[in-house]
Coordinates of all heavy atoms in Angstrom, one line a residue:
A284 N 92.2 100.2 -40.1 CA 92.7 101.6 -39.7 C 92.7 101.7 -38.3 O 91.8 101.5 -37.6 CB 91.7 102.6 -40.2
R285 N 94.0 101.8 -37.8 CA 94.1 102.1 -36.3 C 93.8 103.6 -36.1 O 94.4 104.4 -36.6 CB 95.5 101.7 -35.9 CG 95.7 100.2 -35.9 CD 97.1 99.8 -35.5 NE 98.1 100.6 -36.4 CZ 99.4 100.2 -36.4 NH1 99.8 99.4 -35.5 NH2 100.2 100.9 -37.1
N286 N 92.9 103.9 -35.2 CA 92.4 105.3 -35.1 C 92.4 105.9 -36.4 O 91.9 105.4 -37.4 CB 93.2 105.9 -33.9 CG 94.7 105.8 -34.1 OD1 95.2 106.2 -35.0 ND2 95.2 105.1 -33.1
G287 N 93.0 107.1 -36.6 CA 92.8 107.9 -37.8 C 94.1 107.7 -38.6 O 95.2 107.2 -38.1
G288 N 94.1 108.1 -39.8 CA 95.3 108.0 -40.6 C 96.2 109.1 -40.3 O 95.8 110.1 -39.7
K289 N 97.6 108.9 -40.6 CA 98.5 110.0 -40.4 C 98.7 110.8 -41.8 O 98.5 110.2 -42.8 CB 99.9 109.4 -40.1 CG 100.3 109.1 -38.7 CD 101.7 108.9 -38.3 CE 102.7 108.4 -39.4 NZ 102.5 107.0 -39.6
G290 N 98.9 112.1 -41.7 CA 99.1 112.8 -43.0 C 100.2 112.2 -43.7 O 101.3 111.8 -43.3
T291 N 100.0 112.0 -45.1 CA 101.0 111.3 -45.9 C 101.0 112.1 -47.3 O 99.9 112.4 -47.9 CB 100.4 109.9 -46.2 OG1 100.3 109.2 -44.8 CG2 101.4 109.1 -47.0
D292 N 102.2 112.3 -47.8 CA 102.3 112.9 -49.2 C 102.2 111.9 -50.3 O 102.6 110.7 -50.2 CB 103.7 113.6 -49.3 CG 103.9 114.7 -48.2 OD1 102.8 115.1 -47.7 OD2 105.0 115.2 -48.0
V293 N 101.6 112.4 -51.4 CA 101.4 111.5 -52.6 C 101.7 112.4 -53.8 O 101.4 113.5 -53.9 CB 100.0 111.0 -52.6 CG1 99.5 110.6 -54.0 CG2 99.7 109.8 -51.7
K294 N 102.3 111.6 -54.9 CA 102.5 112.2 -56.1 C 102.1 111.2 -57.2 O 102.5 110.2 -57.2 CB 104.1 112.5 -56.3 CG 104.3 113.4 -57.6 CD 105.8 113.7 -57.5 CE 106.2 114.5 -58.7 NZ 107.6 114.8 -58.8
T295 N 101.0 111.6 -58.1 CA 100.5 110.6 -59.0 C 101.5 110.4 -60.1 O 102.2 111.3 -60.6 CB 99.1 111.1 -59.5 OG1 99.4 112.2 -60.4 CG2 98.1 111.4 -58.5
Q296 N 101.6 109.1 -60.5 CA 102.6 108.8 -61.7 C 101.9 107.7 -62.5 O 101.0 107.0 -62.0 CB 103.7 108.1 -61.0 CG 104.5 109.0 -60.1 CD 105.4 110.1 -60.8 OE1 105.4 110.1 -62.1 NE2 105.9 111.0 -60.1
P297 N 102.4 107.5 -63.7 CA 102.0 106.3 -64.4 C 102.3 105.0 -63.7 O 103.1 105.0 -62.8 CB 102.8 106.3 -65.8 CG 103.1 107.8 -65.9 CD 103.4 108.3 -64.4
F298 N 101.6 104.0 -64.0 CA 101.9 102.6 -63.3 C 103.3 102.2 -63.4 O 103.7 102.4 -64.6 CB 100.9 101.5 -63.9 CG 100.9 100.3 -63.2 CD1 100.0 100.1 -62.1 CD2 101.7 99.2 -63.3 CE1 99.9 98.9 -61.3 CE2 101.8 98.1 -62.6 CZ 100.8 97.9 -61.6
P299 N 103.9 101.7 -62.5 CA 103.5 101.3 -61.2 C 103.3 102.3 -60.0 O 103.2 101.9 -58.9 CB 104.4 100.2 -60.8 CG 105.8 100.6 -61.4 CD 105.4 101.3 -62.6
G300 N 103.4 103.6 -60.4 CA 103.3 104.7 -59.4 C 101.9 104.9 -58.9 O 101.1 104.1 -59.3
F301 N 101.7 105.8 -58.1 CA 100.5 106.1 -57.5 C 99.4 106.5 -58.6 O 99.7 107.5 -59.2 CB 100.5 107.1 -56.3 CG 99.3 107.1 -55.5 CD1 99.2 106.6 -54.2 CD2 98.2 108.0 -55.9 CE1 98.1 106.7 -53.5 CE2 97.0 108.1 -55.1 CZ 97.0 107.4 -53.9
P302 N 98.3 105.9 -58.8 CA 97.4 106.2 -59.9 C 96.7 107.4 -59.7 O 96.1 107.7 -58.6 CB 96.5 105.0 -60.0 CG 96.5 104.3 -58.6 CD 97.9 104.6 -58.0
T303 N 96.6 108.3 -60.7 CA 95.8 109.5 -60.7 C 94.3 109.2 -60.3 O 93.8 110.0 -59.8 CB 95.9 110.3 -62.1 OG1 95.0 111.3 -62.0 CG2 95.6 109.5 -63.3
D304 N 93.8 108.0 -60.7 CA 92.5 107.7 -60.5 C 92.2 107.4 -59.0 O 91.0 107.3 -58.6 CB 92.0 106.5 -61.2 CG 92.0 106.8 -62.8 OD1 92.1 108.0 -63.1 OD2 91.8 105.9 -63.6
M305 N 93.3 107.5 -58.2 CA 93.0 107.3 -56.7 C 93.3 108.6 -56.0 O 93.2 108.7 -54.8 CB 94.0 106.2 -56.3 CG 93.3 104.8 -56.2 SD 91.7 104.6 -55.3 CE 92.4 105.0 -53.8
Q306 N 93.7 109.7 -56.7 CA 94.1 110.9 -56.2 C 93.0 111.6 -55.3 O 93.3 111.9 -54.1 CB 94.6 111.8 -57.2 CG 95.1 113.3 -56.8 CD 94.0 114.3 -57.2 OE1 93.4 114.9 -56.2 NE2 94.0 114.7 -58.3
A307 N 91.9 111.7 -55.9 CA 90.7 112.4 -55.1 C 90.3 111.6 -54.0 O 90.0 112.1 -52.9 CB 89.5 112.6 -56.1
Q308 N 90.3 110.2 -54.0 CA 89.8 109.5 -52.9 C 90.8 109.4 -51.7 O 90.4 109.6 -50.5 CB 89.7 107.9 -53.3 CG 88.6 107.7 -54.5 CD 89.2 107.9 -55.8 OE1 89.9 108.7 -56.2 NE2 89.0 106.8 -56.6
F309 N 92.0 109.5 -52.1 CA 93.1 109.6 -51.0 C 93.1 110.9 -50.4 O 93.2 111.0 -49.1 CB 94.6 109.3 -51.6 CG 95.6 109.0 -50.6 CD1 95.7 107.6 -50.1 CD2 96.4 109.9 -50.1 CE1 96.6 107.3 -49.1 CE2 97.3 109.6 -49.1 CZ 97.4 108.3 -48.6
M310 N 92.8 111.9 -51.2 CA 92.7 113.3 -50.6 C 91.6 113.3 -49.5 O 91.8 113.9 -48.5 CB 92.4 114.3 -51.7 CG 92.6 115.7 -51.2 SD 92.1 117.0 -52.5 CE 93.5 116.8 -53.6
A311 N 90.5 112.7 -49.9 CA 89.3 112.8 -48.9 C 89.7 112.2 -47.7 O 89.5 112.7 -46.4 CB 88.1 112.0 -49.6
A312 N 90.5 111.1 -47.7 CA 90.9 110.3 -46.4 C 91.9 111.1 -45.7 O 91.9 111.3 -44.4 CB 91.6 109.0 -46.8
M313 N 92.7 111.9 -46.4 CA 93.8 112.7 -45.6 C 93.1 114.1 -45.1 O 93.6 114.6 -44.2 CB 94.9 113.2 -46.7 CG 95.8 112.0 -47.1 SD 96.5 111.3 -45.7 CE 95.7 109.8 -45.5
C314 N 91.9 114.4 -45.5 CA 91.2 115.5 -44.9 C 90.8 115.3 -43.4 O 90.8 116.3 -42.6 CB 89.9 115.8 -45.6 SG 90.1 116.5 -47.2
V315 N 90.8 114.0 -43.0 CA 90.4 113.7 -41.6 C 91.7 113.0 -41.0 O 91.6 112.3 -40.0 CB 89.2 112.9 -41.5 CG1 88.0 113.7 -41.7 CG2 89.3 111.6 -42.3
A316 N 92.9 113.2 -41.5 CA 94.1 112.5 -41.0 C 94.7 113.4 -40.0 O 94.4 114.5 -39.8 CB 95.1 112.3 -42.1
D317 N 95.6 112.8 -39.3 CA 96.3 113.5 -38.1 C 97.6 114.0 -38.6 O 98.5 113.3 -38.9 CB 96.5 112.6 -37.0 CG 97.3 113.2 -35.9 OD1 97.3 114.5 -35.8 OD2 97.8 112.5 -35.0
G318 N 97.6 115.3 -39.0 CA 98.9 116.0 -39.6 C 98.6 116.4 -41.0 O 97.7 115.9 -41.7
P319 N 99.6 117.1 -41.6 CA 99.4 117.6 -43.0 C 99.9 116.6 -44.1 O 100.6 115.6 -43.9 CB 100.5 118.8 -42.9 CG 101.4 118.4 -42.0 CD 100.9 117.6 -41.0
S320 N 99.2 116.8 -45.3 CA 99.6 115.9 -46.5 C 99.8 116.9 -47.6 O 99.1 117.9 -47.7 CB 98.5 115.0 -46.7 OG 98.1 114.3 -45.6
L321 N 100.6 116.6 -48.6 CA 100.9 117.3 -49.8 C 100.6 116.3 -51.0 O 101.3 115.3 -51.0 CB 102.3 117.8 -50.0 CG 102.4 118.7 -51.1 CD1 101.7 120.1 -50.9 CD2 104.0 119.0 -51.4
I322 N 99.6 116.7 -51.8 CA 99.2 115.7 -52.8 C 99.4 116.4 -54.2 O 98.9 117.6 -54.4 CB 97.7 115.3 -52.8 CG1 97.5 114.4 -51.5 CG2 97.2 114.7 -54.0 CD1 96.2 113.8 -51.4
T323 N 100.2 115.8 -55.0 CA 100.7 116.4 -56.4 C 100.1 115.6 -57.6 O 100.4 114.4 -57.5 CB 102.2 116.5 -56.3 OG1 102.6 117.3 -55.3 CG2 102.6 117.2 -57.7
E324 N 99.4 116.3 -58.4 CA 98.8 115.6 -59.6 C 99.6 116.0 -60.8 O 99.8 117.0 -61.2 CB 97.3 116.1 -59.7 CG 96.6 115.6 -61.1 CD 96.6 114.1 -61.1 OE1 96.0 113.5 -60.2 OE2 97.1 113.6 -62.2
T325 N 100.2 114.9 -61.4 CA 101.2 115.0 -62.5 C 100.5 114.5 -63.8 O 101.3 114.9 -64.9 CB 102.5 114.4 -62.3 OG1 102.3 112.9 -62.5 CG2 103.1 114.6 -60.9
I326 N 99.5 114.0 -63.9 CA 98.9 113.3 -65.1 C 97.9 114.3 -65.8 O 98.0 114.4 -67.0 CB 98.2 112.0 -64.8 CG1 99.2 111.0 -64.0 CG2 97.7 111.3 -66.0 CD1 100.4 110.7 -64.8
F327 N 97.0 114.8 -65.0 CA 96.0 115.7 -65.7 C 96.1 117.1 -65.2 O 96.5 117.2 -63.9 CB 94.6 115.2 -65.4 CG 94.2 113.9 -66.1 CD1 94.2 112.7 -65.5 CD2 94.0 113.9 -67.5 CE1 93.9 111.6 -66.1 CE2 93.7 112.7 -68.2 CZ 93.7 111.5 -67.5
E328 N 95.8 118.1 -66.0 CA 95.9 119.4 -65.6 C 94.8 120.1 -64.8 O 95.0 121.1 -64.3 CB 96.3 120.3 -66.8 CG 95.1 120.5 -67.8 CD 95.1 119.4 -68.9 OE1 95.6 118.3 -68.7 OE2 94.6 119.8 -69.9
N329 N 93.7 119.4 -64.6 CA 92.6 120.1 -64.0 C 91.9 119.0 -63.1 O 90.6 118.8 -63.4 CB 91.7 120.8 -64.9 CG 90.6 121.5 -64.2 OD1 90.9 122.1 -63.1 ND2 89.4 121.5 -64.7
R330 N 92.6 118.3 -62.2 CA 91.9 117.2 -61.6 C 91.8 117.5 -60.0 O 91.9 116.7 -59.3 CB 92.6 115.9 -61.7 CG 91.7 114.7 -61.6 CD 92.3 113.4 -62.0 NE 91.1 112.4 -62.1 CZ 91.4 111.2 -62.5 NH1 92.5 110.8 -62.9 NH2 90.3 110.4 -62.6
F331 N 91.5 118.8 -59.7 CA 91.3 119.2 -58.3 C 89.8 119.8 -58.0 O 89.6 120.5 -57.1 CB 92.2 120.2 -57.9 CG 93.7 119.7 -57.7 CD1 94.8 120.5 -58.0 CD2 93.9 118.4 -57.3 CE1 96.1 120.1 -57.9 CE2 95.2 118.0 -57.2 CZ 96.3 118.8 -57.4
M332 N 88.9 119.4 -58.9 CA 87.6 120.0 -58.8 C 86.8 119.5 -57.4 O 85.8 119.9 -57.1 CB 86.7 119.8 -60.0 CG 87.2 120.7 -61.1 SD 86.3 120.3 -62.6 CE 86.8 118.7 -62.8
H333 N 87.3 118.4 -56.9 CA 86.7 118.0 -55.7 C 87.2 118.8 -54.5 O 86.6 118.8 -53.5 CB 87.0 116.5 -55.4 CG 88.5 116.2 -55.6 ND1 89.1 116.2 -57.0 CD2 89.7 116.1 -54.9 CE1 90.4 115.9 -57.0 NE2 90.7 115.8 -55.7
V334 N 88.2 119.7 -54.7 CA 88.8 120.5 -53.6 C 87.7 121.4 -53.0 O 87.4 121.5 -51.8 CB 90.0 121.2 -54.0 CG1 90.5 122.2 -52.9 CG2 91.2 120.2 -54.3
P335 N 87.2 122.4 -53.8 CA 86.2 123.3 -53.3 C 85.0 122.6 -52.6 O 84.4 123.0 -51.6 CB 85.7 124.2 -54.4 CG 86.2 123.5 -55.7 CD 87.2 122.6 -55.3
E336 N 84.6 121.4 -53.2 CA 83.5 120.7 -52.5 C 83.8 120.1 -51.3 O 83.0 120.1 -50.2 CB 82.9 119.6 -53.5 CG 82.4 120.1 -54.8 CD 81.1 121.0 -54.6 OE1 80.1 120.5 -53.9 OE2 81.1 122.1 -55.1
L337 N 85.0 119.5 -51.1 CA 85.4 119.0 -49.8 C 85.6 120.1 -48.8 O 85.3 119.9 -47.6 CB 86.8 118.2 -50.0 CG 86.8 116.9 -50.7 CD1 88.2 116.4 -51.0 CD2 86.0 115.8 -50.0
A338 N 86.0 121.3 -49.3 CA 86.2 122.4 -48.3 C 84.8 122.8 -47.7 O 84.7 123.2 -46.7 CB 86.8 123.6 -49.1
R339 N 83.6 122.5 -48.5 CA 82.3 122.8 -48.0 C 82.0 122.0 -46.7 O 81.1 122.3 -46.0 CB 81.3 122.7 -49.0 CG 81.3 123.7 -50.1 CD 80.4 123.4 -51.3 NE 78.9 123.1 -50.8 CZ 78.0 124.0 -50.4 NH1 78.4 125.3 -50.4 NH2 76.9 123.6 -50.0
L340 N 82.7 121.0 -46.6 CA 82.5 120.0 -45.5 C 83.3 120.5 -44.3 O 83.4 120.0 -43.2 CB 82.9 118.6 -45.8 CG 82.1 117.9 -46.8 CD1 82.8 116.4 -47.2 CD2 80.7 117.7 -46.4
G341 N 84.2 121.6 -44.5 CA 85.1 122.0 -43.5 C 86.6 121.6 -43.7 O 87.3 121.9 -42.7
A342 N 86.9 120.9 -44.7 CA 88.3 120.4 -44.9 C 89.2 121.5 -45.1 O 88.7 122.7 -45.7 CB 88.3 119.4 -46.0
D343 N 90.3 121.5 -44.6 CA 91.3 122.7 -44.7 C 92.2 122.3 -45.8 O 93.3 121.6 -45.7 CB 92.0 122.8 -43.4 CG 93.1 124.0 -43.5 OD1 93.2 124.5 -44.5 OD2 93.3 124.5 -42.4
L344 N 92.0 122.9 -47.1 CA 92.7 122.5 -48.3 C 93.3 123.7 -49.0 O 92.6 124.9 -49.1 CB 91.8 121.8 -49.2 CG 91.1 120.6 -48.8 CD1 90.0 120.2 -49.7 CD2 92.0 119.3 -48.6
T345 N 94.6 123.8 -49.4 CA 95.2 124.9 -50.1 C 95.7 124.4 -51.4 O 96.7 123.6 -51.4 CB 96.3 125.6 -49.2 OG1 95.7 125.9 -48.0 CG2 96.8 126.9 -49.8
V346 N 95.2 125.0 -52.6 CA 95.7 124.7 -53.9 C 97.0 125.5 -54.2 O 96.9 126.7 -54.2 CB 94.7 124.7 -55.0 CG1 95.2 124.2 -56.3 CG2 93.5 123.8 -54.6
R347 N 98.1 124.8 -54.7 CA 99.3 125.6 -55.1 C 99.7 124.9 -56.4 O 100.4 123.9 -56.3 CB 100.4 125.5 -54.0 CG 100.2 126.4 -52.9 CD 100.7 127.8 -53.1 NE 100.5 128.7 -51.9 CZ 99.3 129.2 -51.5 NH1 98.2 129.0 -52.3 NH2 99.3 130.1 -50.5
G348 N 99.2 125.5 -57.6 CA 99.7 124.8 -58.8 C 99.2 123.5 -59.0 O 98.0 123.3 -58.9
N349 N 100.0 122.4 -59.1 CA 99.5 121.2 -59.3 C 99.6 120.2 -58.1 O 99.5 119.1 -58.0 CB 100.1 120.4 -60.5 CG 101.6 120.1 -60.2 OD1 102.3 120.7 -59.2 ND2 102.2 119.2 -60.8
S350 N 99.6 121.0 -56.9 CA 99.6 120.5 -55.5 C 98.6 121.0 -54.6 O 98.1 122.1 -54.8 CB 101.0 120.6 -54.9 OG 102.1 119.9 -55.6
V351 N 98.1 120.1 -53.7 CA 97.1 120.5 -52.8 C 97.8 120.3 -51.3 O 98.3 119.2 -51.1 CB 95.8 119.9 -52.9 CG1 94.9 120.3 -51.7 CG2 95.2 120.2 -54.2
L352 N 97.8 121.3 -50.4 CA 98.2 121.1 -49.1 C 96.9 120.8 -48.3 O 96.0 121.6 -48.3 CB 98.9 122.3 -48.4 CG 99.3 122.2 -47.0 CD1 100.4 121.1 -46.9 CD2 99.9 123.5 -46.5
I353 N 97.0 119.6 -47.5 CA 95.8 119.3 -46.8 C 96.3 119.4 -45.3 O 97.2 118.7 -44.8 CB 95.4 117.9 -47.0 CG1 95.0 117.7 -48.6 CG2 94.2 117.4 -46.2 CD1 95.6 116.6 -49.3
R354 N 95.6 120.2 -44.5 CA 95.8 120.2 -43.0 C 94.8 119.3 -42.4 O 93.6 119.8 -42.4 CB 95.8 121.7 -42.5 CG 96.9 122.6 -43.1 CD 96.8 124.0 -42.6 NE 97.8 124.8 -43.2 CZ 97.5 125.4 -44.4 NH1 96.4 125.1 -45.2 NH2 98.4 126.2 -45.0
G355 N 95.1 118.1 -42.0 CA 94.2 117.3 -41.4 C 93.3 117.9 -40.3 O 93.7 118.7 -39.6
K356 N 92.1 117.4 -40.2 CA 91.2 117.9 -39.2 C 90.5 116.8 -38.4 O 90.4 115.7 -38.9 CB 90.1 118.6 -39.8 CG 90.6 119.9 -40.5 CD 89.6 121.0 -40.9 CE 89.2 121.7 -39.6 NZ 88.6 123.0 -39.9
S357 N 90.0 117.0 -37.2 CA 89.4 116.0 -36.5 C 88.1 115.7 -37.1 O 87.8 114.5 -37.3 CB 89.3 116.4 -35.0 OG 88.7 117.7 -35.0
K358 N 87.3 116.8 -37.4 CA 86.0 116.3 -38.0 C 85.5 117.2 -39.1 O 85.9 118.4 -39.1 CB 85.0 116.1 -36.7 CG 84.5 117.4 -36.2 CD 83.4 117.2 -35.2 CE 82.9 118.6 -34.7 NZ 82.0 118.4 -33.6
L359 N 84.5 116.8 -39.9 CA 84.0 117.4 -41.0 C 82.5 117.5 -40.6 O 81.9 116.7 -39.9 CB 84.1 116.7 -42.3 CG 85.5 116.5 -42.7 CD1 85.7 115.6 -44.0 CD2 86.3 117.8 -42.8
I360 N 81.8 118.5 -41.1 CA 80.3 118.7 -40.9 C 79.6 118.5 -42.3 O 80.0 119.2 -43.3 CB 80.0 120.0 -40.3 CG1 80.9 120.3 -39.1 CG2 78.6 120.2 -40.1 CD1 80.6 119.5 -37.9
G361 N 78.6 117.7 -42.4 CA 77.8 117.4 -43.5 C 77.3 118.6 -44.2 O 77.0 119.7 -43.5

Side-chain angles (χ1 to χ4, degrees):
R285 288 177 303 190
N286 45 63
K289 270 197 333 286
T291 305
D292 295 350
V293 156
K294 187 173 182 185
T295 64
Q296 298 287 355
F298 194 86
F301 190 99
T303 173
D304 290 350
M305 275 299 300
Q306 178 255 105
Q308 301 92 307
F309 196 82
M310 186 183 294
M313 292 300 103
C314 288
V315 290
D317 178 13
S320 308
L321 186 70
I322 293 189
T323 304
E324 173 58 58
T325 71
I326 306 292
F327 289 105
E328 65 269 28
N329 184 34
R330 205 169 194 178
F331 288 148
M332 282 173 301
H333 41 288
V334 168
E336 293 300 309
L337 290 171
R339 286 172 52 75
L340 297 174
D343 186 341
L344 306 164
T345 307
V346 181
R347 283 276 182 282
N349 68 340
S350 291
V351 177
L352 174 64
I353 301 133
R354 296 177 186 82
K356 299 200 70 161
S357 49
K358 75 175 177 186
L359 303 175
I360 309 291

